[in-house]
Amino acid sequence: MSDQLARILDAKREEVTVRSARTPLADLRRLAEAMPKPRSLASALLPGRFSHAEPASPPVRLIAEIKRASPSKGPLRPDLNPAAYAKAYARGGAAALSVLTDGPFFCGSLDDLKAARDAVTLPVLRKDFTVSEYQIYEARAAGADAILLIVRAVTEAFLRDALALCEALSLDALTEVHDERELEAALRCGARIVGVNNRDLTTFQTFLETSLRLRAHIPEDRIMVAESGIRSRSDIERLAAAGIFNFLVGESLVRASNPENAVRHLIQPFSGEAVKNADNQRA
């Protein structure tokens, strides 16, 4: 685990302690269990698998991210309006949203998530560092449709329990892995949506080869999402040629002068040759 990740997780545990003192777990659980049924992230991503049934439709499904900053890049869009970006992403054709809710390191909040979700009908992922069941109930009480679980950040026992709790609350979980060992743990624990993070958490460099390498080890009955380092249409086409059709993209969209057009550009239909290559990979 990198020093940066360790610092974030330590801060997150302290944050959970403070928040749970303000709103006890029992109260939060009641709020979460009283929420309407979430929107399905899994259903939004399943069409991302290439199908001859819809040859004119873009096989790409994009989780478009809303974030103001990151520890590695600093401020990205400090004045970001979550509702406006959510609407722009939806108009551009995004399948779902990801909203950073960490405050100290990403300048986000649960209010950002609420504002984004209220603005659109897309499923919304709470992207944060989940280290406690408290945060899972908190996410559902705030209206999140899915949460992020990072294999490297938790024990396997916690991951298994967290996935079970998500199922009980009808929440989807994007379970994030960085290598083969973490992927094996995610699959053992029953992860249905597997996010492959292309970012090396030690150097913070990104390598699309990580997704390309792990793709072959993810069963067909699971949903794969490629994360980090996806900046251009050529990146999308390279990964799609390997049978990867679901993507989480943040920085390039947040920095774009026109986020709606940026989304539309990434998910545009493939050319005949690109479709043929993707089909060959899926055969």
Side-chain angles (χ1 to χ4, degrees):
M1 184 184 299
S2 69
D3 290 343
Q4 177 100 292
L5 180 58
R7 284 196 298 271
I8 292 174
L9 296 178
D10 286 343
K12 191 59 56 177
R13 294 184 189 98
E14 293 179 10
E15 179 184 311
V16 170
T17 298
V18 172
R19 293 167 86 97
S20 60
R22 186 166 60 240
T23 305
L25 176 60
D27 293 344
L28 197 62
R29 183 186 293 118
R30 283 193 291 271
L31 290 172
E33 292 174 348
M35 291 292 291
K37 185 177 180 179
R39 303 162 187 169
S40 175
L41 177 63
S43 295
L45 297 179
L46 281 171
R49 298 183 176 190
F50 184 70
S51 170
H52 288 292
E54 299 180 82
S57 300
V60 172
R61 292 296 183 271
L62 198 66
I63 304 175
E65 191 157 272
I66 292 172
K67 63 179 177 181
R68 293 189 173 88
S70 77
S72 60
K73 299 296 180 65
L76 300 173
R77 186 74 70 178
D79 59 346
L80 181 148
N81 181 316
Y85 265 74
K87 291 177 181 178
Y89 289 160
R91 289 194 302 269
L97 303 180
S98 167
V99 181
L100 263 297
T101 62
D102 173 80
F105 298 92
F106 290 87
C107 301
S109 70
L110 283 170
D111 286 339
D112 288 346
L113 184 144
K114 294 173 185 176
R117 192 178 189 277
D118 287 346
V120 297
T121 59
L122 303 177
V124 179
L125 166 77
R126 180 192 185 181
K127 195 172 185 186
D128 211 316
F129 298 84
T130 305
V131 296
S132 167
E133 69 169 10
Y134 185 91
Q135 294 164 282
I136 301 175
Y137 285 112
E138 185 179 54
R140 182 77 282 269
D145 303 294
I147 65 163
L148 176 69
L149 294 169
I150 304 173
V151 173
R152 189 169 298 188
V154 298
T155 66
E156 192 165 325
F158 176 83
L159 179 61
R160 185 176 290 106
D161 290 344
L163 287 168
L165 178 56
C166 285
E167 185 173 0
L169 292 172
S170 297
L171 274 174
D172 281 322
L174 176 63
T175 304
E176 182 176 286
V177 305
H178 299 81
D179 56 31
E180 285 83 354
R181 182 186 61 80
E182 293 178 9
L183 174 58
E184 290 173 3
L187 296 177
R188 278 196 303 271
C189 291
R192 183 182 178 196
I193 308 175
V194 178
V196 176
N197 194 328
N198 298 306
R199 189 179 303 282
D200 184 312
L201 292 182
T202 301
T203 66
F204 289 96
Q205 292 180 303
T206 54
F207 304 95
L208 296 185
E209 288 76 10
T210 304
S211 283
L212 295 172
R213 188 180 76 246
L214 295 186
R215 170 67 186 88
H217 302 289
I218 298 177
E220 289 298 318
D221 63 347
R222 312 300 170 95
I223 301 168
M224 177 183 173
V225 179
E227 308 174 38
S228 298
I230 301 159
R231 301 181 179 90
S232 66
R233 175 64 180 184
S234 61
D235 291 335
I236 295 283
E237 291 180 353
R238 181 184 177 195
L239 293 168
I244 301 167
F245 299 103
N246 297 310
F247 306 90
L248 191 154
V249 180
E251 182 182 337
S252 65
L253 296 180
V254 171
R255 290 186 183 276
S257 58
N258 188 322
E260 176 183 341
N261 285 346
V263 170
R264 188 173 289 115
H265 174 69
L266 290 178
I267 68 169
Q268 64 185 291
F270 291 128
S271 66
E273 187 62 29
V275 169
K276 180 180 178 182
N277 290 340
D279 194 24
N280 287 340
Q281 287 292 330
R282 297 293 289 175

